Amino acid sequence: MSDKIRQDAFQKRMKRTVIARQHNFFAVVSPGFLDVCYSELCRIQNPPIEQIEKSTGGVSFVGYLHDAYYLNLMSRTATRILMRIAEFKAVHFKELEHKLSDIPWEYFLISSNPLYIRIHVSTSKSKLYHKSAIAERIYSSIAARFLSLSHQSTNESIQTNSFTTYQNIFGRMVNDRFTLSIDTSGDLLYKRGIKRFVGKAPLRETTAAAILYKAGYTPGMPLIDPMCGSGTFSIEAAMISKSIPPGWFRNFAFMQWPCFREKRWQYLKRVAGENRIRFTRPHIVSLDIDELASNILKQTILDFSLSDVIQVIHDDFFNISPRDFFDKPGLVMINPPYGIRLKEHADMNAFITSVGNRLVSHYHGWRAALILPRHMSSPITSPHHVFPFVHGGLDMNLVCFKIQ
């Protein structure tokens, strides 16, 4: 059989098995933001994705492969999107090995090179509980599959110079049920491909976007980010306002899969980019007392054409008033020092009290969102909403209120 005939047959099988068929997917979500991510995924997909449900640790849904393309591009709050490629019962290793041998790895991987593959295994309440042994079986099934395929030479010829990201494979054994997934995202989705500088104890972009949604931020709303650091909240708010997809500036793991369809991907990007908005004056003010951080943020904003929406100032929160910038109220988003950054402020309670006093005296009519360690109380006695979440292993609260 000629190489062309063999390749054509492979493409037809791949289209029938992967591209033209619906699959189960799972969007992993950071603790505390499941409702936000679920609402976002329901909202951004058109036509709506099917059988979307909240579950432990994330959101499950049914869709086509191109739906995963689109959600990777568009979701601001998901951590990663997994594609389920197999689910079965296994109570001994022979059974596991037999069922793994049926997985068509050649549709998702361009190589069996172990430097290109990362395997992650978790187990609970199962006869097969040895994680390393399960991971070894998964990799052995990949190696054996590639060794047996007649088109192996085509894949092997590109394995040393074509892949630029790891392919993450997840095996989960619970109550003797094994679920095998492959990560469609690659780098975690908080990596937008924008920031060159990361401050102390940085907040992930996916968390920042979820917090903005929780706080009621809407496109075009005035925003003051007075302790901006590397500018995470400001940049996320700018991308929301300008309708820039969060995955616009980065690549994804699925782009290296043999089943990847470049034309479909470019079409989805083109459609997603049609609604981009340009503003005549900035409505986001970012300030920080760290001059270096402010200067780096200014350069980032110029590099990614966000200067129409963000103004960066090297100043102190206690020196400015919202009336210096805006003639109507908006949202003030405060991420004060805590944890690693707490060393800069010996008395955290006194500092937060000062922040609260400043808000009351200068931000009448504004919405405020304040991030605090969970053991600390809100400095505001007026009605407020508290949303717990986890950041960097710390238990945190998002405190939202309107300043009367």
Side-chain angles (χ1 to χ4, degrees), residues 155-182:
N155 289 338
E156 292 299 321
S157 67
I158 60 176
Q159 70 175 358
T160 58
N161 57 19
S162 290
F163 53 80
T164 57
T165 187
Y166 294 102
Q167 294 292 329
N168 291 296
I169 296 166
F170 292 83
R172 185 169 180 261
M173 181 74 79
V174 179
N175 294 322
D176 297 324
R177 294 289 303 178
F178 187 67
T179 302
L180 190 65
S181 306
I182 187 166

Side-chain angles (χ1 to χ4, degrees), residues 72-90:
N72 272 289
L73 176 67
M74 299 299 292
S75 176
R76 302 184 191 277
T77 62
T79 297
R80 60 159 48 105
I81 295 176
L82 303 178
M83 178 179 176
R84 307 300 197 199
I85 55 177
E87 184 174 354
F88 50 81
K89 183 177 181 179

Side-chain angles (χ1 to χ4, degrees), residues 15-32:
K15 181 177 181 180
R16 183 173 61 251
T17 305
V18 180
I19 299 167
R21 182 180 296 178
Q22 288 190 316
H23 305 275
N24 293 314
F25 295 91
F26 186 78
V28 180
V29 183
S30 297

Side-chain angles (χ1 to χ4, degrees), residues 190-191 194-205 228-232 290 292-293 296 300 391:
Y190 78 87
K191 296 184 178 182
I194 293 180
K195 289 197 301 187
R196 271 71 165 173
F197 166 75
V198 177
K200 299 177 183 177
L203 199 72
R204 289 184 172 185
E205 283 74 0
C228 68
S230 57
T232 303
D290 186 328
L292 176 61
I296 293 174
T300 300
H391 163 52

Side-chain angles (χ1 to χ4, degrees), residues 68-358:
Y69 295 178
Y70 192 70
L71 292 181
N72 272 289
L73 176 67
M74 299 299 292
S75 176
R76 302 184 191 277
T77 62
T79 297
R80 60 159 48 105
I81 295 176
L82 303 178
M83 178 179 176
R84 307 300 197 199
I85 55 177
E87 184 174 354
F88 50 81
K89 183 177 181 179
V91 295
H92 51 77
F93 282 115
K94 285 294 183 182
E95 186 176 19
L96 178 66
E97 292 167 2
H98 174 71
K99 292 179 178 177
L100 285 173
S101 68
D102 292 331
I103 305 299
W105 294 110
E106 66 274 16
Y107 299 156
F108 306 103
L109 304 175
I110 60 173
S111 170
S112 61
N113 189 326
L115 298 177
Y116 159 74
I117 299 166
R118 287 180 172 175
I119 298 173
H120 314 263
V121 175
S122 63
T123 62
S124 176
K125 301 177 181 178
S126 300
K127 292 182 176 63
L128 299 180
Y129 59 86
H130 197 297
K131 299 175 186 178
S132 296
I134 294 173
E136 288 173 6
R137 266 67 176 190
I138 294 173
Y139 178 71
S140 294
S141 74
I142 296 170
R145 184 81 179 189
F146 273 82
L147 188 62
S148 67
L149 291 173
S150 59
H151 68 278
Q152 176 191 14
S153 58
T154 302
N155 289 338
E156 292 299 321
S157 67
I158 60 176
Q159 70 175 358
T160 58
N161 57 19
S162 290
F163 53 80
T164 57
T165 187
Y166 294 102
Q167 294 292 329
N168 291 296
I169 296 166
F170 292 83
R172 185 169 180 261
M173 181 74 79
V174 179
N175 294 322
D176 297 324
R177 294 289 303 178
F178 187 67
T179 302
L180 190 65
S181 306
I182 187 166
D183 178 19
T184 69
S185 305
D187 285 339
L188 294 177
L189 293 177
Y190 78 87
K191 296 184 178 182
R192 310 295 202 209
I194 293 180
K195 289 197 301 187
R196 271 71 165 173
F197 166 75
V198 177
K200 299 177 183 177
L203 199 72
R204 289 184 172 185
E205 283 74 0
T206 46
T207 300
I211 286 173
L212 287 169
Y213 285 142
K214 282 278 192 184
Y217 185 76
T218 56
M221 177 186 287
L223 174 74
I224 295 179
D225 183 8
M227 301 172 195
C228 68
S230 57
T232 303
F233 280 109
S234 297
I235 292 172
E236 288 301 305
M239 294 179 74
I240 291 171
S241 290
K242 290 175 66 67
S243 294
I244 299 175
W248 189 264
F249 300 107
R250 57 163 286 169
N251 293 325
F252 301 94
F254 64 74
M255 297 171 70
Q256 293 190 343
W257 294 2
C259 60
F260 174 58
R261 291 297 181 260
E262 175 73 26
K263 289 183 179 179
R264 169 70 79 159
W265 170 240
Q266 292 302 330
Y267 168 77
L268 292 171
K269 282 197 73 174
R270 185 170 66 254
V271 171
E274 288 175 350
N275 297 321
R276 190 170 299 194
I277 299 169
R278 180 164 183 82
F279 291 87
T280 56
R281 56 170 294 186
H283 61 265
I284 297 171
V285 174
S286 309
L287 61 144
D288 202 281
I289 58 175
D290 186 328
E291 185 174 10
L292 176 61
S294 299
N295 289 336
I296 293 174
L297 180 56
K298 286 179 183 179
Q299 188 59 52
T300 300
I301 287 166
L302 287 173
D303 291 344
F304 290 91
S305 301
L306 300 174
S307 56
D308 62 318
V309 68
I310 302 177
Q311 178 183 0
V312 182
I313 300 169
H314 171 226
D315 208 337
D316 193 318
F317 166 66
F318 297 100
N319 292 338
I320 64 112
S321 167
R323 291 188 294 274
D324 298 337
F325 311 101
F326 303 111
D327 56 8
K328 64 178 181 179
L331 173 68
V332 54
M333 182 68 247
I334 301 179
N335 183 22
Y338 53 84
I340 296 173
R341 299 160 66 222
L342 184 56
K343 296 176 182 177
E344 300 169 9
H345 296 273
D347 191 342
M348 183 65 168
N349 287 308
F351 178 74
I352 293 301
T353 299
S354 299
V355 168
N357 292 337
R358 185 75 182 181

Side-chain angles (χ1 to χ4, degrees), residues 6-22:
R6 185 182 297 111
Q7 187 63 26
D8 287 347
F10 171 70
Q11 291 293 332
K12 288 178 181 179
R13 289 195 307 274
M14 187 165 58
K15 181 177 181 180
R16 183 173 61 251
T17 305
V18 180
I19 299 167
R21 182 180 296 178
Q22 288 190 316

